[in-house]
Amino acid sequence: MNRDNQTPLTTSLSVETETIPGSEVLIRSLMAEGVDTIFGYPGGAIMPVFDALYDHKDKIRHILVRHEQGALHAAQGYARVSEKVGVALVTSGPGATNAITGITDAMMDSTPLVVIAGQVNSTLLGSDAFQEADVIGVTQPITKWAYQVRRAEDIAWAVSRAFYIASSGRPGPVVLDIAKDAQVLKCDYAYQKTTFLRSYHPLPEVEEDKIKMAADLINSAKKPFALIGQGVILGNAEEELRAFLEKGGIPFGSTILGLSAIPSDHPLNQGMLGMHGNVAPNIKTNECDVLIAIGMRFDDRVTGDLKTYAKQAKVIHFDIDLAEMDKNVKTTVKVLGDAKQTLPMVTRLIENKSYPEWLEEFKPYEQKEYDCIIKNELYPENGGEIKMGEVVNKVTEATQNKAICVTDVGQHQMMATRYFKYNQSRSMVTSGGLGTMGFGLPAGIGAKYGAPGRTVCIFVGDGGLQMTIQEFGTIMEYGIDVKIILLNNNYLGMVRQWQELFFDERYSETHLKNPDFIKIADAYNIRGRKVTQRAELDAAIQEMLQHKGAYLLEVVVETKGMVYPMVPAGGNITNIILGNGYTL
């Protein structure tokens, strides 16, 4: 069958066919793709699918969220920790438009999703029918593929193609907009799994000469430095990366989304890159002679001012997406391909090396950051207000660094990414590229379903929590065992920080008068505890972790705390504000 001049080659063709409604075709197609969990919210235009789902509850678990944005973020959390495609199911009109933020977030962070939206009958399309919206027009710029299904016969084909596109190459979201009559009318069902599309090439061919050029450049380096992004995790190339770094003796820093690819305590690990990253890797980015970027896109929060970024270095860029090559940073060698394939090819050609003197150059900056910032953040004097960093540090230590860290967006996010530690991959779930407040709570729900055997710690702020606080209802209904750590400063903290630094302390609309969060949690049958004194903190964390079930730990932290270090937006990455009266 041909659609848009793209013909899939297929495998796993069902031998027998049945004549069944399109809604049943959809559910069986999802099962054929191995889907076991869907996050969704019903409505009129998707009701036939929910009716079909009723007969398959033993095979597909549906999690009824309280808002469609929650469904998308939950599907993201599920996908990020499970290595599977996340699936969300919503209705037409406002149901689909409520999902837009989550779809955009998934596109920015390369999260594989299949989003299925109901649509009005095909005969009503374009008539401004009740709850009609141009879902394809809205979502085409924020998806890998968006397709409207108007016939029952096309549903299985579209689902097969959707999962292939969402999960292959550089992952991302796909939207299927399915007309209601396509869900109701019957057709013959036979599922064919897509393995190839004629005009879609998710795995580019590796150029052997570029492999040799990269290896030669690395072998000639005196001060190599690697930047690790989420692409390594998405490509399941953690072991290949580790072998490459260790053979080459190459120190590295990580983007926020790449943080858990290599354990935090690895001797070559220099910490986090970027605006609120560690001092040493930012400084040394502008002092290395060969900069090796692996599965990252040179985001502006990492690079700062491109005019001053790594101008002294020869740049090698490993990535699966040609569009990222030379987009922001001009590269010397482009290694296009899947990191799981390209990294071993380069590793075979590089020399066994170590750079003890180069590594020593990082240490004074590490010590400076510890003395000026980290020591006070993690181990403050007993008399002062509780610090965000010390809470994060105590939680990660109490979990032996084995938990999944999920965050919302804001100051607490930066503190969590700075101080949470990891000993296995797929342990950091946060909104990176879009910076979506409200992401944390539903994403943590999805992460728990994606990795049910692991502890999920969700760090939220008082602002972001209230954007999706209705998902307490989802936690209550399904008894989801997530640990929610609310770092409450009664402010939109990150905006307030910028107002203090760059807007003459004019705190316009950033102070929050908050509700009693513990009472709200109690109304949802979620156990909770509020901590205002440092002496209570250790016991409260242990109580939270030992409790079987959801738990809200609200910690009242310093009202006007700051996240340091900080590189001002658009500034030179070596122009670092240390704060607290310290300068670099």
Coordinates of all heavy atoms in Angstrom, one line a residue, residues 39-110:
F39 N -1.1 6.2 28.3 CA -1.5 7.3 29.1 C -2.5 8.1 28.4 O -2.3 8.6 27.2 CB -0.3 8.1 29.6 CG 0.7 7.3 30.3 CD1 1.8 6.8 29.5 CD2 0.7 7.1 31.6 CE1 2.8 6.0 30.1 CE2 1.7 6.4 32.2 CZ 2.7 5.8 31.5
G40 N -3.7 8.4 28.9 CA -4.7 9.1 28.1 C -5.9 9.6 28.9 O -6.0 9.6 30.1
Y41 N -6.8 10.2 28.1 CA -8.0 10.9 28.6 C -9.1 10.8 27.5 O -8.8 11.2 26.4 CB -7.7 12.3 28.9 CG -8.6 12.9 30.0 CD1 -8.3 13.0 31.3 CD2 -9.8 13.5 29.6 CE1 -9.1 13.5 32.2 CE2 -10.7 14.1 30.5 CZ -10.3 14.1 31.8 OH -11.2 14.6 32.8
P42 N -10.2 10.2 27.9 CA -11.2 9.9 26.8 C -12.0 11.2 26.4 O -12.0 12.2 27.1 CB -12.1 8.9 27.4 CG -12.0 9.1 28.9 CD -10.6 9.6 29.1
G43 N -12.7 11.1 25.4 CA -13.7 12.2 24.9 C -14.4 11.6 23.7 O -14.2 10.5 23.3
G44 N -15.4 12.4 23.2 CA -16.3 12.0 22.2 C -15.7 11.4 21.0 O -16.1 10.3 20.5
A45 N -14.7 12.1 20.4 CA -14.1 11.7 19.1 C -13.2 10.5 19.2 O -12.8 10.0 18.2 CB -13.4 12.9 18.5
I46 N -12.8 10.1 20.4 CA -11.9 8.9 20.6 C -12.7 7.8 21.3 O -12.1 6.8 21.6 CB -10.6 9.3 21.3 CG1 -9.5 8.3 21.1 CG2 -10.9 9.6 22.8 CD1 -9.0 8.2 19.7
M47 N -13.9 8.0 21.6 CA -14.7 7.1 22.4 C -14.7 5.6 21.8 O -14.6 4.7 22.6 CB -16.1 7.6 22.6 CG -16.8 7.0 23.9 SD -18.4 7.7 24.2 CE -17.9 9.4 24.5
P48 N -14.8 5.4 20.5 CA -14.8 4.1 20.0 C -13.5 3.3 20.4 O -13.5 2.1 20.6 CB -14.9 4.3 18.5 CG -15.7 5.6 18.3 CD -15.1 6.4 19.4
V49 N -12.4 4.0 20.4 CA -11.1 3.4 20.8 C -11.1 3.0 22.2 O -10.7 1.9 22.6 CB -9.9 4.3 20.4 CG1 -8.6 3.7 21.0 CG2 -9.8 4.6 19.0
F50 N -11.6 3.9 23.1 CA -11.7 3.5 24.5 C -12.7 2.3 24.7 O -12.5 1.5 25.6 CB -12.1 4.7 25.3 CG -11.0 5.6 25.7 CD1 -10.6 6.6 24.9 CD2 -10.2 5.4 26.9 CE1 -9.5 7.4 25.2 CE2 -9.2 6.2 27.2 CZ -8.8 7.2 26.4
D51 N -13.7 2.3 23.9 CA -14.6 1.1 24.0 C -13.9 -0.2 23.6 O -14.1 -1.2 24.3 CB -15.8 1.4 23.1 CG -16.9 0.3 23.2 OD1 -17.5 0.2 24.3 OD2 -17.1 -0.5 22.3
A52 N -13.1 -0.1 22.6 CA -12.4 -1.3 22.1 C -11.3 -1.7 23.2 O -11.1 -2.9 23.5 CB -11.7 -1.0 20.8
L53 N -10.7 -0.7 23.8 CA -9.7 -0.9 24.9 C -10.3 -1.7 26.0 O -9.6 -2.4 26.7 CB -9.2 0.5 25.3 CG -8.0 0.5 26.3 CD1 -6.8 -0.2 25.6 CD2 -7.6 1.9 26.6
Y54 N -11.6 -1.5 26.3 CA -12.3 -2.1 27.4 C -12.1 -3.7 27.3 O -12.1 -4.3 28.4 CB -13.8 -1.8 27.3 CG -14.6 -2.2 28.5 CD1 -14.7 -1.4 29.7 CD2 -15.3 -3.4 28.5 CE1 -15.4 -1.8 30.8 CE2 -16.0 -3.8 29.6 CZ -16.1 -3.0 30.8 OH -16.8 -3.3 31.8
D55 N -12.1 -4.2 26.1 CA -12.0 -5.7 26.0 C -10.5 -6.2 26.0 O -10.3 -7.4 25.9 CB -12.6 -6.1 24.6 CG -14.1 -5.8 24.6 OD1 -14.7 -6.0 25.6 OD2 -14.5 -5.5 23.5
H56 N -9.6 -5.3 26.2 CA -8.1 -5.7 26.2 C -7.4 -5.2 27.5 O -6.2 -5.0 27.4 CB -7.5 -5.2 25.0 CG -8.0 -5.7 23.7 ND1 -7.7 -7.0 23.2 CD2 -8.9 -5.2 22.8 CE1 -8.4 -7.2 22.1 NE2 -9.1 -6.1 21.8
K57 N -8.1 -5.0 28.5 CA -7.5 -4.5 29.8 C -6.5 -5.5 30.3 O -5.6 -5.1 31.1 CB -8.6 -4.3 30.8 CG -9.5 -3.1 30.5 CD -10.5 -2.8 31.6 CE -11.3 -1.6 31.3 NZ -12.4 -1.4 32.4
D58 N -6.6 -6.8 30.0 CA -5.6 -7.7 30.5 C -4.3 -7.7 29.7 O -3.3 -8.2 30.1 CB -6.2 -9.1 30.4 CG -6.6 -9.5 29.0 OD1 -7.0 -8.7 28.2 OD2 -6.5 -10.7 28.7
K59 N -4.3 -7.0 28.6 CA -3.1 -6.9 27.7 C -2.5 -5.5 27.6 O -1.3 -5.4 27.5 CB -3.4 -7.4 26.3 CG -3.9 -8.8 26.2 CD -4.1 -9.3 24.8 CE -4.7 -10.7 24.7 NZ -6.1 -10.8 25.2
I60 N -3.3 -4.5 27.7 CA -2.8 -3.1 27.6 C -3.4 -2.4 28.8 O -4.6 -2.3 29.1 CB -3.3 -2.4 26.3 CG1 -2.6 -3.0 25.1 CG2 -2.9 -0.9 26.4 CD1 -2.9 -2.3 23.8
R61 N -2.5 -1.8 29.6 CA -2.9 -1.0 30.8 C -3.0 0.4 30.4 O -2.2 1.1 29.8 CB -1.7 -1.1 31.8 CG -1.8 -0.2 33.0 CD -0.7 -0.6 34.0 NE 0.6 -0.6 33.3 CZ 1.7 -1.2 33.7 NH1 1.7 -1.9 34.8 NH2 2.8 -1.1 33.0
H62 N -4.2 1.0 30.7 CA -4.5 2.4 30.4 C -4.4 3.2 31.7 O -5.1 2.8 32.7 CB -5.8 2.6 29.7 CG -6.1 4.1 29.5 ND1 -6.7 4.9 30.4 CD2 -5.8 4.9 28.4 CE1 -6.8 6.1 29.9 NE2 -6.2 6.1 28.7
I63 N -3.6 4.3 31.7 CA -3.6 5.1 32.9 C -4.3 6.4 32.6 O -4.0 7.2 31.8 CB -2.1 5.4 33.3 CG1 -1.3 4.1 33.4 CG2 -2.0 6.3 34.5 CD1 -1.8 3.2 34.4
L64 N -5.4 6.6 33.4 CA -6.3 7.7 33.2 C -5.7 8.9 34.0 O -5.7 9.0 35.2 CB -7.7 7.4 33.7 CG -8.7 8.6 33.7 CD1 -8.9 9.1 32.3 CD2 -10.0 8.2 34.4
V65 N -5.1 9.8 33.2 CA -4.5 11.0 33.8 C -5.6 12.1 34.1 O -6.8 11.8 33.8 CB -3.4 11.6 32.9 CG1 -2.2 10.7 32.7 CG2 -4.0 12.0 31.5
R66 N -5.2 13.2 34.6 CA -6.3 14.2 34.9 C -6.2 15.4 33.9 O -7.0 16.3 34.0 CB -6.1 14.7 36.3 CG -6.3 13.6 37.4 CD -7.6 12.9 37.2 NE -7.9 12.0 38.3 CZ -7.8 10.7 38.2 NH1 -7.3 10.1 37.1 NH2 -8.1 9.9 39.2
H67 N -5.3 15.4 33.0 CA -5.2 16.4 32.0 C -4.3 15.9 30.8 O -3.3 15.1 31.1 CB -4.5 17.7 32.6 CG -4.6 18.9 31.7 ND1 -3.7 19.1 30.6 CD2 -5.3 20.0 31.7 CE1 -4.0 20.2 30.0 NE2 -5.0 20.8 30.7
E68 N -4.6 16.2 29.6 CA -3.9 15.7 28.5 C -2.4 16.0 28.5 O -1.6 15.2 28.0 CB -4.5 16.1 27.2 CG -5.9 15.5 26.9 CD -7.0 16.3 27.4 OE1 -6.8 17.3 28.2 OE2 -8.2 16.0 27.2
Q69 N -2.0 17.2 29.0 CA -0.6 17.5 29.1 C 0.1 16.5 30.0 O 1.2 16.0 29.8 CB -0.4 18.9 29.7 CG 1.1 19.3 29.8 CD 1.3 20.7 30.3 OE1 0.4 21.5 30.3 NE2 2.5 21.0 30.7
G70 N -0.6 16.1 31.1 CA -0.1 15.0 32.0 C 0.1 13.7 31.2 O 1.1 13.0 31.5
A71 N -0.8 13.4 30.3 CA -0.6 12.2 29.5 C 0.6 12.2 28.7 O 1.4 11.2 28.6 CB -1.8 12.0 28.6
L72 N 0.9 13.3 28.1 CA 2.1 13.4 27.3 C 3.4 13.4 28.1 O 4.3 12.6 27.7 CB 2.1 14.7 26.5 CG 1.4 14.7 25.1 CD1 2.3 13.8 24.1 CD2 0.0 14.1 25.1
H73 N 3.4 14.1 29.2 CA 4.6 14.0 30.0 C 4.8 12.7 30.7 O 6.0 12.2 30.8 CB 4.6 15.1 31.1 CG 4.6 16.5 30.6 ND1 5.3 16.9 29.5 CD2 4.0 17.7 31.1 CE1 5.1 18.2 29.2 NE2 4.4 18.7 30.2
A74 N 3.7 12.0 31.0 CA 3.9 10.6 31.6 C 4.4 9.7 30.5 O 5.3 8.9 30.8 CB 2.5 10.2 32.1
A75 N 3.9 9.8 29.3 CA 4.4 9.0 28.2 C 5.9 9.3 28.0 O 6.7 8.4 27.6 CB 3.6 9.3 26.9
Q76 N 6.3 10.6 28.1 CA 7.7 10.9 28.0 C 8.6 10.2 29.1 O 9.6 9.7 28.8 CB 7.9 12.4 28.1 CG 7.4 13.2 26.9 CD 7.6 14.7 27.1 OE1 6.7 15.4 27.6 NE2 8.8 15.2 26.7
G77 N 8.1 10.3 30.3 CA 8.9 9.7 31.4 C 9.0 8.2 31.2 O 10.0 7.6 31.5
Y78 N 7.9 7.6 30.8 CA 7.9 6.2 30.5 C 8.9 5.8 29.4 O 9.8 4.9 29.6 CB 6.5 5.7 30.0 CG 6.4 4.3 29.6 CD1 6.0 3.3 30.5 CD2 6.6 3.9 28.3 CE1 5.9 2.0 30.1 CE2 6.4 2.6 27.9 CZ 6.1 1.6 28.8 OH 6.0 0.3 28.4
A79 N 8.9 6.6 28.3 CA 9.8 6.3 27.2 C 11.3 6.5 27.6 O 12.2 5.7 27.2 CB 9.5 7.2 26.0
R80 N 11.5 7.5 28.4 CA 12.9 7.9 28.7 C 13.6 6.8 29.6 O 14.8 6.7 29.5 CB 12.9 9.3 29.5 CG 12.5 10.4 28.6 CD 13.6 11.1 27.9 NE 14.4 11.9 28.8 CZ 14.1 13.2 29.1 NH1 13.0 13.8 28.5 NH2 14.8 13.9 30.0
V81 N 12.9 6.1 30.4 CA 13.5 5.1 31.3 C 13.4 3.7 30.8 O 14.1 2.8 31.2 CB 13.0 5.2 32.7 CG1 13.2 6.6 33.3 CG2 11.6 4.8 32.9
S82 N 12.5 3.5 29.9 CA 12.1 2.1 29.5 C 12.7 1.6 28.2 O 12.7 0.4 27.9 CB 10.6 1.9 29.4 OG 10.1 2.6 28.3
E83 N 13.3 2.6 27.4 CA 13.8 2.3 26.1 C 12.6 1.9 25.1 O 12.9 1.4 24.0 CB 14.8 1.2 26.1 CG 16.0 1.4 26.9 CD 17.0 0.3 26.9 OE1 17.2 -0.3 25.9 OE2 17.7 0.0 28.0
K84 N 11.4 2.2 25.5 CA 10.3 1.9 24.6 C 9.7 3.2 24.1 O 10.0 4.3 24.5 CB 9.2 1.1 25.4 CG 9.6 -0.3 25.9 CD 8.5 -0.9 26.6 CE 8.9 -2.3 27.2 NZ 7.8 -2.9 27.9
V85 N 8.7 3.1 23.2 CA 8.0 4.2 22.7 C 6.8 4.5 23.6 O 6.1 3.6 24.0 CB 7.4 3.9 21.3 CG1 6.6 5.1 20.8 CG2 8.5 3.7 20.3
G86 N 6.7 5.8 24.1 CA 5.6 6.2 24.9 C 4.4 6.4 24.1 O 4.5 6.8 22.9
V87 N 3.2 6.1 24.6 CA 2.0 6.2 23.9 C 1.0 7.0 24.7 O 0.8 6.8 25.9 CB 1.4 4.8 23.5 CG1 0.1 5.0 22.8 CG2 2.3 4.0 22.7
A88 N 0.4 8.0 24.0 CA -0.7 8.8 24.6 C -1.9 8.8 23.7 O -1.8 8.7 22.5 CB -0.2 10.3 24.8
L89 N -3.1 8.8 24.4 CA -4.4 8.7 23.7 C -5.3 9.8 24.1 O -5.6 9.9 25.3 CB -5.0 7.3 24.0 CG -6.3 6.9 23.3 CD1 -6.1 6.8 21.8 CD2 -6.7 5.5 23.8
V90 N -5.7 10.7 23.2 CA -6.5 11.9 23.6 C -7.6 12.0 22.6 O -7.6 11.4 21.5 CB -5.6 13.1 23.7 CG1 -4.5 13.0 24.7 CG2 -5.0 13.5 22.3
T91 N -8.5 12.9 22.9 CA -9.6 13.2 22.0 C -9.3 14.3 21.1 O -8.2 14.9 21.1 CB -10.9 13.4 22.8 OG1 -12.1 13.3 21.9 CG2 -10.9 14.7 23.5
S92 N -10.3 14.8 20.3 CA -10.1 15.8 19.3 C -10.1 17.2 20.0 O -10.3 17.4 21.2 CB -11.2 15.8 18.3 OG -12.5 16.0 18.9
G93 N -10.0 18.2 19.2 CA -10.1 19.6 19.6 C -9.2 20.0 20.8 O -8.0 19.9 20.8
P94 N -9.9 20.3 22.0 CA -9.1 20.7 23.1 C -8.3 19.6 23.7 O -7.2 19.8 24.3 CB -10.2 21.2 24.2 CG -11.4 20.5 23.7 CD -11.3 20.5 22.2
G95 N -8.7 18.3 23.5 CA -7.9 17.2 24.0 C -6.6 17.2 23.2 O -5.5 17.0 23.8
A96 N -6.6 17.4 21.9 CA -5.4 17.4 21.1 C -4.5 18.6 21.4 O -3.3 18.6 21.5 CB -5.7 17.3 19.7
T97 N -5.2 19.8 21.5 CA -4.4 21.0 21.7 C -3.8 21.0 23.1 O -2.7 21.6 23.3 CB -5.2 22.3 21.5 OG1 -6.4 22.3 22.3 CG2 -5.7 22.4 20.0
N98 N -4.4 20.4 24.1 CA -3.8 20.3 25.4 C -2.5 19.5 25.4 O -1.7 19.5 26.3 CB -4.8 19.7 26.4 CG -5.8 20.7 26.9 OD1 -5.7 21.9 26.8 ND2 -6.9 20.2 27.6
A99 N -2.4 18.7 24.4 CA -1.2 17.8 24.3 C 0.0 18.5 23.6 O 1.1 17.9 23.6 CB -1.6 16.5 23.5
I100 N -0.2 19.7 23.0 CA 0.8 20.3 22.2 C 2.1 20.5 23.0 O 3.2 20.3 22.5 CB 0.2 21.6 21.6 CG1 -0.9 21.4 20.7 CG2 1.3 22.4 20.9 CD1 -0.6 20.4 19.5
T101 N 2.0 21.0 24.2 CA 3.2 21.3 25.0 C 4.0 20.0 25.2 O 5.3 20.1 25.0 CB 2.8 21.9 26.4 OG1 2.2 23.1 26.2 CG2 4.1 22.1 27.2
G102 N 3.4 18.9 25.5 CA 4.1 17.7 25.7 C 4.7 17.2 24.4 O 5.9 16.6 24.3
I103 N 4.0 17.4 23.2 CA 4.6 17.0 21.9 C 5.8 17.8 21.6 O 6.8 17.3 21.2 CB 3.5 17.1 20.9 CG1 2.3 16.1 21.1 CG2 4.1 16.8 19.5 CD1 1.1 16.4 20.2
T104 N 5.7 19.1 21.8 CA 6.8 20.0 21.6 C 8.0 19.6 22.4 O 9.2 19.6 22.0 CB 6.4 21.4 21.8 OG1 5.2 21.7 21.1 CG2 7.5 22.4 21.3
D105 N 7.8 19.3 23.7 CA 8.8 19.0 24.6 C 9.5 17.7 24.1 O 10.8 17.6 24.2 CB 8.2 18.7 26.0 CG 9.3 18.7 27.1 OD1 10.0 17.7 27.2 OD2 9.3 19.6 27.9
A106 N 8.7 16.7 23.7 CA 9.3 15.5 23.2 C 10.1 15.7 21.9 O 11.2 15.0 21.8 CB 8.2 14.5 22.9
M107 N 9.7 16.6 21.1 CA 10.5 16.9 19.9 C 11.8 17.5 20.2 O 12.9 17.2 19.7 CB 9.7 17.8 19.0 CG 10.3 18.0 17.6 SD 10.3 16.5 16.6 CE 11.0 17.1 15.1
M108 N 11.8 18.5 21.2 CA 13.0 19.1 21.6 C 14.0 18.2 22.2 O 15.2 18.3 22.0 CB 12.7 20.3 22.6 CG 12.0 21.4 21.9 SD 13.1 22.5 20.9 CE 14.0 23.4 22.2
D109 N 13.5 17.2 23.0 CA 14.4 16.3 23.7 C 14.5 14.9 23.0 O 15.0 13.9 23.7 CB 13.9 16.1 25.1 CG 14.2 17.3 26.0 OD1 15.0 18.2 25.5 OD2 13.7 17.4 27.1
S110 N 14.0 14.8 21.8 CA 14.2 13.5 21.0 C 13.6 12.3 21.8 O 14.3 11.3 21.9 CB 15.7 13.3 20.7 OG 16.2 14.4 19.9

